[in-house]
Amino acid sequence: PASDEDVDIRVLWEDRFVQSEYDLLDTDVRTPQGYRVRLADVASLEVGRSFLALGHHETKRSVIVYADVVEGVATSQSVNLLLQDQYRDLGLRYPGVEVVYGGEFQETAKAFSDINRILPMALLLIYIVLAAQFRSYSQPLIVMSAVPFGIIGVLLGLLAFGYPFSFGIIYVIVGLSGVVVNDSLVLVDFFNRAREEGMPVREAVIEAGRVRLRPVLLTTLTTVGGLLPTALGLFGRSLSFGPLAAAFVVGLSLSTLFTLFVVPVGCYTLAGWLERPSGTVTDAGLASASTRA
Protein backbone atom coordinates (compact mmCIF):
# COMPACT_ATOMS: atom_id res chain seq x y z
CA PRO A 1 0.00 0.00 0.00
CA ALA A 2 1.00 3.63 -0.40
CA SER A 3 2.76 5.42 2.46
CA ASP A 4 -0.27 7.62 3.14
CA GLU A 5 -2.80 4.76 3.03
CA ASP A 6 -4.30 3.40 6.25
CA VAL A 7 -4.21 -0.33 6.74
CA ASP A 8 -6.70 -2.05 9.06
CA ILE A 9 -5.20 -4.91 11.04
CA ARG A 10 -7.23 -7.31 13.15
CA VAL A 11 -5.37 -8.77 16.13
CA LEU A 12 -6.52 -11.59 18.40
CA TRP A 13 -4.76 -12.40 21.64
CA GLU A 14 -5.10 -14.52 24.76
CA ASP A 15 -5.58 -12.85 28.12
CA ARG A 16 -2.61 -14.66 29.65
CA PHE A 17 -0.21 -12.94 27.23
CA VAL A 18 -1.77 -9.47 26.94
CA GLN A 19 -3.39 -7.59 29.81
CA SER A 20 -4.68 -4.64 27.78
CA GLU A 21 -4.71 -3.32 24.24
CA TYR A 22 -1.78 -1.03 25.03
CA ASP A 23 0.48 -4.04 25.59
CA LEU A 24 0.21 -4.69 21.87
CA LEU A 25 2.49 -1.73 21.21
CA ASP A 26 5.38 -3.68 22.72
CA THR A 27 4.86 -6.54 20.27
CA ASP A 28 7.56 -7.11 17.66
CA VAL A 29 6.53 -7.53 14.05
CA ARG A 30 8.63 -8.89 11.20
CA THR A 31 9.13 -6.69 8.14
CA PRO A 32 9.33 -8.00 4.56
CA GLN A 33 13.10 -7.56 4.77
CA GLY A 34 13.25 -10.00 7.67
CA TYR A 35 14.14 -7.77 10.62
CA ARG A 36 11.93 -7.00 13.62
CA VAL A 37 10.52 -3.67 14.63
CA ARG A 38 8.50 -2.65 17.64
CA LEU A 39 4.83 -2.05 16.79
CA ALA A 40 4.86 1.23 18.73
CA ASP A 41 7.56 2.56 16.36
CA VAL A 42 5.47 2.13 13.22
CA ALA A 43 1.87 2.34 14.47
CA SER A 44 -0.29 4.40 16.76
CA LEU A 45 -3.13 3.13 18.93
CA GLU A 46 -6.38 5.01 19.19
CA VAL A 47 -9.27 3.74 21.31
CA GLY A 48 -12.78 4.61 20.15
CA ARG A 49 -16.28 3.26 19.63
CA SER A 50 -17.18 1.20 16.62
CA PHE A 51 -20.41 1.43 14.69
CA LEU A 52 -23.34 -0.34 16.39
CA ALA A 53 -26.02 -2.40 14.70
CA LEU A 54 -29.37 -1.75 16.35
CA GLY A 55 -31.64 -4.77 16.03
CA HIS A 56 -35.38 -4.39 15.69
CA HIS A 57 -38.28 -6.79 16.03
CA GLU A 58 -41.66 -5.59 14.77
CA THR A 59 -40.40 -1.96 14.78
CA LYS A 60 -39.22 -2.25 18.41
CA ARG A 61 -35.61 -2.08 19.58
CA SER A 62 -34.46 -5.57 20.43
CA VAL A 63 -31.48 -7.67 21.46
CA ILE A 64 -31.33 -11.07 19.80
CA VAL A 65 -29.77 -14.00 21.68
CA TYR A 66 -28.98 -17.21 19.81
CA ALA A 67 -28.30 -20.58 21.42
CA ASP A 68 -28.14 -24.27 20.52
CA VAL A 69 -29.37 -27.08 22.74
CA VAL A 70 -27.41 -30.22 23.49
CA GLU A 71 -29.22 -33.15 21.85
CA GLY A 72 -30.23 -35.80 24.33
CA VAL A 73 -29.99 -33.39 27.28
CA ALA A 74 -32.59 -30.73 26.46
CA THR A 75 -34.93 -29.61 23.71
CA SER A 76 -35.98 -26.21 22.45
CA GLN A 77 -39.35 -26.84 24.07
CA SER A 78 -37.95 -27.59 27.55
CA VAL A 79 -35.42 -24.74 27.44
CA ASN A 80 -37.98 -22.13 26.39
CA LEU A 81 -40.46 -23.30 29.01
CA LEU A 82 -37.72 -22.93 31.63
CA LEU A 83 -36.93 -19.42 30.37
CA GLN A 84 -40.60 -18.47 30.42
CA ASP A 85 -40.81 -19.50 34.05
CA GLN A 86 -37.60 -17.62 34.86
CA TYR A 87 -38.71 -14.35 33.23
CA ARG A 88 -42.43 -14.49 33.84
CA ASP A 89 -42.31 -11.27 35.97
CA LEU A 90 -39.85 -9.43 33.72
CA GLY A 91 -42.49 -6.96 32.56
CA LEU A 92 -43.23 -6.02 36.19
CA ARG A 93 -39.59 -5.51 37.09
CA TYR A 94 -38.75 -3.64 33.89
CA PRO A 95 -41.84 -1.98 32.39
CA GLY A 96 -41.74 -1.88 28.61
CA VAL A 97 -39.39 -4.86 28.32
CA GLU A 98 -40.79 -7.94 26.56
CA VAL A 99 -39.27 -11.33 25.80
CA VAL A 100 -40.18 -13.05 22.53
CA TYR A 101 -39.21 -16.72 22.21
CA GLY A 102 -38.38 -17.55 18.60
CA GLY A 103 -36.55 -20.23 16.67
CA GLU A 104 -37.89 -23.78 16.65
CA PHE A 105 -40.07 -23.05 19.67
CA GLN A 106 -41.86 -20.26 17.81
CA GLU A 107 -42.28 -22.38 14.68
CA THR A 108 -43.77 -25.21 16.74
CA ALA A 109 -46.21 -22.85 18.46
CA LYS A 110 -47.20 -21.42 15.07
CA ALA A 111 -47.75 -24.92 13.70
CA PHE A 112 -50.04 -25.78 16.62
CA SER A 113 -51.97 -22.57 16.03
CA ASP A 114 -52.45 -23.54 12.39
CA ILE A 115 -53.48 -27.07 13.35
CA ASN A 116 -56.17 -25.69 15.69
CA ARG A 117 -57.74 -23.98 12.68
CA ILE A 118 -57.09 -26.60 10.01
CA LEU A 119 -57.79 -29.84 11.91
CA PRO A 120 -61.51 -29.14 12.58
CA MET A 121 -61.95 -28.32 8.89
CA ALA A 122 -60.16 -31.53 7.86
CA LEU A 123 -62.33 -33.62 10.19
CA LEU A 124 -65.44 -31.92 8.82
CA LEU A 125 -64.42 -32.78 5.24
CA ILE A 126 -63.78 -36.41 6.26
CA TYR A 127 -67.21 -36.50 7.87
CA ILE A 128 -68.89 -35.10 4.74
CA VAL A 129 -67.20 -37.68 2.50
CA LEU A 130 -68.15 -40.56 4.81
CA ALA A 131 -71.71 -39.29 5.19
CA ALA A 132 -72.08 -39.25 1.41
CA GLN A 133 -70.57 -42.74 1.20
CA PHE A 134 -72.81 -44.34 3.84
CA ARG A 135 -75.81 -42.05 3.32
CA SER A 136 -75.91 -41.69 7.09
CA TYR A 137 -75.20 -38.96 9.63
CA SER A 138 -74.30 -41.31 12.48
CA GLN A 139 -72.09 -44.02 10.97
CA PRO A 140 -69.29 -41.57 10.01
CA LEU A 141 -68.95 -40.83 13.74
CA ILE A 142 -68.34 -44.53 14.36
CA VAL A 143 -65.67 -44.62 11.67
CA MET A 144 -63.94 -41.53 13.07
CA SER A 145 -64.17 -42.69 16.70
CA ALA A 146 -60.79 -44.45 16.40
CA VAL A 147 -58.93 -41.22 15.54
CA PRO A 148 -58.67 -39.98 19.17
CA PHE A 149 -57.21 -43.34 20.20
CA GLY A 150 -54.56 -42.93 17.51
CA ILE A 151 -53.59 -39.51 18.89
CA ILE A 152 -53.37 -40.97 22.40
CA GLY A 153 -51.17 -43.75 21.03
CA VAL A 154 -48.84 -41.18 19.43
CA LEU A 155 -48.31 -39.46 22.77
CA LEU A 156 -47.80 -42.77 24.57
CA GLY A 157 -45.28 -43.83 21.92
CA LEU A 158 -43.17 -40.72 22.48
CA LEU A 159 -43.35 -41.27 26.23
CA ALA A 160 -42.45 -44.97 25.99
CA PHE A 161 -39.44 -44.44 23.70
CA GLY A 162 -38.28 -41.28 25.46
CA TYR A 163 -38.56 -38.98 22.44
CA PRO A 164 -39.59 -35.30 22.70
CA PHE A 165 -42.63 -33.87 20.95
CA SER A 166 -41.44 -32.20 17.75
CA PHE A 167 -42.94 -30.41 14.78
CA GLY A 168 -42.89 -33.56 12.63
CA ILE A 169 -45.26 -35.38 15.00
CA ILE A 170 -48.08 -33.23 13.63
CA TYR A 171 -47.63 -34.86 10.22
CA VAL A 172 -47.60 -38.27 11.90
CA ILE A 173 -51.00 -37.54 13.47
CA VAL A 174 -52.44 -36.49 10.11
CA GLY A 175 -51.09 -39.56 8.30
CA LEU A 176 -52.14 -41.91 11.09
CA SER A 177 -55.70 -40.54 11.03
CA GLY A 178 -56.01 -41.60 7.39
CA VAL A 179 -54.86 -45.16 8.12
CA VAL A 180 -57.14 -45.48 11.15
CA VAL A 181 -60.18 -44.22 9.26
CA ASN A 182 -59.45 -46.71 6.47
CA ASP A 183 -59.44 -49.66 8.92
CA SER A 184 -62.72 -48.54 10.46
CA LEU A 185 -64.22 -47.97 7.02
CA VAL A 186 -63.52 -51.58 6.04
CA LEU A 187 -65.42 -52.93 9.05
CA VAL A 188 -68.43 -50.62 8.73
CA ASP A 189 -68.72 -51.20 4.99
CA PHE A 190 -68.81 -54.98 5.43
CA PHE A 191 -71.36 -54.62 8.24
CA ASN A 192 -73.66 -52.57 5.99
CA ARG A 193 -73.39 -55.07 3.15
CA ALA A 194 -74.22 -57.94 5.48
CA ARG A 195 -77.28 -56.06 6.78
CA GLU A 196 -78.46 -55.37 3.23
CA GLU A 197 -78.36 -59.12 2.59
CA GLY A 198 -80.71 -59.65 5.53
CA MET A 199 -78.20 -60.88 8.10
CA PRO A 200 -79.21 -60.15 11.73
CA VAL A 201 -77.32 -57.39 13.55
CA ARG A 202 -75.40 -59.62 15.94
CA GLU A 203 -74.31 -62.04 13.21
CA ALA A 204 -73.40 -59.13 10.90
CA VAL A 205 -71.13 -57.62 13.56
CA ILE A 206 -69.44 -60.95 14.24
CA GLU A 207 -69.01 -61.71 10.56
CA ALA A 208 -67.55 -58.25 9.85
CA GLY A 209 -65.00 -58.71 12.61
CA ARG A 210 -64.10 -62.24 11.49
CA VAL A 211 -63.75 -61.55 7.76
CA ARG A 212 -62.03 -58.16 8.01
CA LEU A 213 -59.72 -59.13 10.89
CA ARG A 214 -57.00 -60.46 8.59
CA PRO A 215 -56.68 -57.42 6.24
CA VAL A 216 -56.77 -54.99 9.16
CA LEU A 217 -54.08 -56.90 11.07
CA LEU A 218 -51.92 -57.36 7.98
CA THR A 219 -52.02 -53.63 7.27
CA THR A 220 -50.99 -52.88 10.83
CA LEU A 221 -48.32 -55.58 11.16
CA THR A 222 -46.58 -54.75 7.87
CA THR A 223 -46.46 -51.04 8.74
CA VAL A 224 -45.30 -51.66 12.30
CA GLY A 225 -42.72 -54.20 11.15
CA GLY A 226 -41.24 -51.74 8.68
CA LEU A 227 -41.02 -48.85 11.15
CA LEU A 228 -40.09 -50.73 14.34
CA PRO A 229 -36.32 -50.97 13.63
CA THR A 230 -36.17 -47.19 13.16
CA ALA A 231 -38.24 -46.60 16.28
CA LEU A 232 -35.98 -48.85 18.37
CA GLY A 233 -32.79 -47.55 16.77
CA LEU A 234 -31.54 -51.04 15.93
CA PHE A 235 -29.25 -49.78 13.14
CA GLY A 236 -28.45 -46.42 14.71
CA ARG A 237 -30.60 -44.04 16.70
CA SER A 238 -32.02 -41.23 14.58
CA LEU A 239 -33.22 -38.10 16.37
CA SER A 240 -34.97 -36.97 13.18
CA PHE A 241 -36.88 -40.10 12.11
CA GLY A 242 -36.85 -42.06 15.38
CA PRO A 243 -39.62 -40.02 17.05
CA LEU A 244 -41.77 -40.16 13.91
CA ALA A 245 -41.45 -43.94 13.64
CA ALA A 246 -42.07 -44.50 17.37
CA ALA A 247 -45.17 -42.30 17.34
CA PHE A 248 -46.58 -44.03 14.25
CA VAL A 249 -45.88 -47.55 15.55
CA VAL A 250 -47.55 -47.12 18.94
CA GLY A 251 -50.33 -44.92 17.58
CA LEU A 252 -51.25 -47.39 14.85
CA SER A 253 -51.07 -50.41 17.18
CA LEU A 254 -53.30 -48.84 19.82
CA SER A 255 -55.81 -47.43 17.33
CA THR A 256 -56.07 -50.79 15.52
CA LEU A 257 -56.75 -52.57 18.82
CA PHE A 258 -59.53 -50.16 19.67
CA THR A 259 -60.88 -50.26 16.11
CA LEU A 260 -61.44 -54.01 16.31
CA PHE A 261 -63.48 -53.56 19.49
CA VAL A 262 -65.01 -50.08 19.43
CA VAL A 263 -66.26 -50.02 15.83
CA PRO A 264 -68.27 -53.32 16.01
CA VAL A 265 -69.72 -52.27 19.37
CA GLY A 266 -70.62 -48.91 17.88
CA CYS A 267 -72.39 -50.50 14.93
CA TYR A 268 -74.38 -52.83 17.18
CA THR A 269 -75.29 -50.04 19.63
CA LEU A 270 -76.31 -47.63 16.89
CA ALA A 271 -78.58 -50.18 15.23
CA GLY A 272 -80.25 -50.93 18.57
CA TRP A 273 -80.62 -47.24 19.44
CA LEU A 274 -82.33 -46.45 16.13
CA GLU A 275 -84.88 -49.20 16.77
CA ARG A 276 -85.79 -48.13 20.31
CA PRO A 277 -88.85 -45.99 19.39
CA SER A 278 -90.68 -49.11 18.17
CA GLY A 279 -90.54 -50.55 21.69
CA THR A 280 -89.11 -53.95 20.74
CA VAL A 281 -85.66 -54.67 19.44
CA THR A 282 -85.67 -57.62 17.07
CA ASP A 283 -83.26 -58.79 14.42
CA ALA A 284 -85.76 -57.93 11.68
CA GLY A 285 -86.35 -54.48 13.13
CA LEU A 286 -82.62 -53.83 13.44
CA ALA A 287 -82.20 -54.74 9.80
CA SER A 288 -84.52 -51.96 8.75
CA ALA A 289 -82.88 -49.60 11.31
CA SER A 290 -79.47 -50.22 9.78
CA THR A 291 -80.89 -49.45 6.35
CA ARG A 292 -82.32 -46.14 7.59
CA ALA A 293 -78.97 -45.24 9.27
Side-chain angles (χ1 to χ4, degrees), residues 199-213:
M199 187 176 295
V201 176
R202 182 181 179 85
E203 285 73 7
V205 170
I206 296 175
E207 189 67 12
R210 184 185 68 82
V211 175
R212 295 304 186 185
L213 176 63

Side-chain angles (χ1 to χ4, degrees), residues 102-267:
E104 183 181 348
F105 180 79
Q106 186 181 39
E107 293 299 324
T108 303
K110 182 180 178 181
F112 277 113
S113 177
D114 293 338
I115 285 295
N116 291 335
R117 297 192 301 266
I118 296 175
L119 186 58
M121 183 179 299
L123 294 178
L124 178 61
L125 292 176
I126 293 176
Y127 176 84
I128 293 175
V129 172
L130 293 177
Q133 173 70 25
F134 293 127
R135 297 180 181 179
S136 169
Y137 296 109
S138 53
Q139 284 193 341
L141 298 177
I142 299 177
V143 175
M144 299 172 62
S145 63
V147 174
F149 297 108
I151 298 176
I152 295 174
V154 167
L155 301 179
L156 292 178
L158 296 176
L159 182 63
F161 286 88
Y163 288 114
F165 191 95
S166 61
F167 179 77
I169 302 301
I170 298 176
Y171 296 101
V172 173
I173 294 176
V174 175
L176 181 62
S177 299
V179 177
V180 172
V181 167
N182 181 68
D183 290 343
S184 303
L185 184 62
V186 168
L187 291 173
V188 176
D189 181 68
F190 188 91
F191 171 79
N192 289 339
R193 293 184 180 183
R195 295 294 294 131
E196 291 175 357
E197 296 176 358
M199 187 176 295
V201 176
R202 182 181 179 85
E203 285 73 7
V205 170
I206 296 175
E207 189 67 12
R210 184 185 68 82
V211 175
R212 295 304 186 185
L213 176 63
R214 180 180 297 177
V216 170
L217 288 182
L218 285 178
T219 301
T220 301
L221 292 177
T222 51
T223 306
V224 169
L227 295 176
L228 193 59
T230 304
L232 296 176
L234 298 181
F235 304 101
R237 191 177 179 89
S238 173
L239 295 177
S240 300
F241 299 102
L244 307 184
F248 207 100
V249 165
V250 180
L252 181 59
S253 300
L254 185 63
S255 61
T256 300
L257 179 64
F258 277 94
T259 296
L260 294 175
F261 288 93
V262 173
V263 172
V265 172
C267 291

Side-chain angles (χ1 to χ4, degrees), residues 53-108:
L54 302 179
H56 288 78
H57 177 75
E58 296 181 353
T59 70
K60 297 180 181 179
R61 287 277 300 275
S62 63
V63 176
I64 303 176
V65 179
Y66 297 94
D68 293 327
V69 296
V70 180
E71 295 183 353
V73 177
T75 63
S76 61
Q77 185 84 5
S78 63
V79 172
N80 279 278
L81 291 177
L82 182 62
L83 290 174
Q84 285 182 348
D85 182 69
Q86 183 73 23
Y87 297 108
R88 63 181 181 276
D89 59 343
L90 186 65
L92 299 177
R93 291 184 292 164
Y94 305 97
V97 177
E98 180 185 2
V99 180
V100 178
Y101 301 93
E104 183 181 348
F105 180 79
Q106 186 181 39
E107 293 299 324
T108 303

Side-chain angles (χ1 to χ4, degrees), residues 3-75:
S3 59
D4 59 346
E5 183 179 350
D6 294 334
V7 178
D8 295 329
I9 301 176
R10 184 182 182 189
V11 180
L12 301 177
W13 72 83
E14 295 185 17
D15 293 340
R16 56 177 178 161
F17 297 123
V18 179
Q19 300 300 322
S20 69
E21 59 271 14
Y22 292 99
D23 293 339
L24 293 174
L25 296 177
D26 295 329
T27 304
D28 292 336
V29 295
R30 186 180 297 276
T31 65
Q33 289 75 22
Y35 58 88
R36 294 175 178 273
V37 296
R38 189 164 163 266
L39 188 60
D41 297 334
V42 297
S44 61
L45 180 63
E46 181 181 352
V47 179
R49 291 184 121 187
S50 62
F51 294 101
L52 296 177
L54 302 179
H56 288 78
H57 177 75
E58 296 181 353
T59 70
K60 297 180 181 179
R61 287 277 300 275
S62 63
V63 176
I64 303 176
V65 179
Y66 297 94
D68 293 327
V69 296
V70 180
E71 295 183 353
V73 177
T75 63

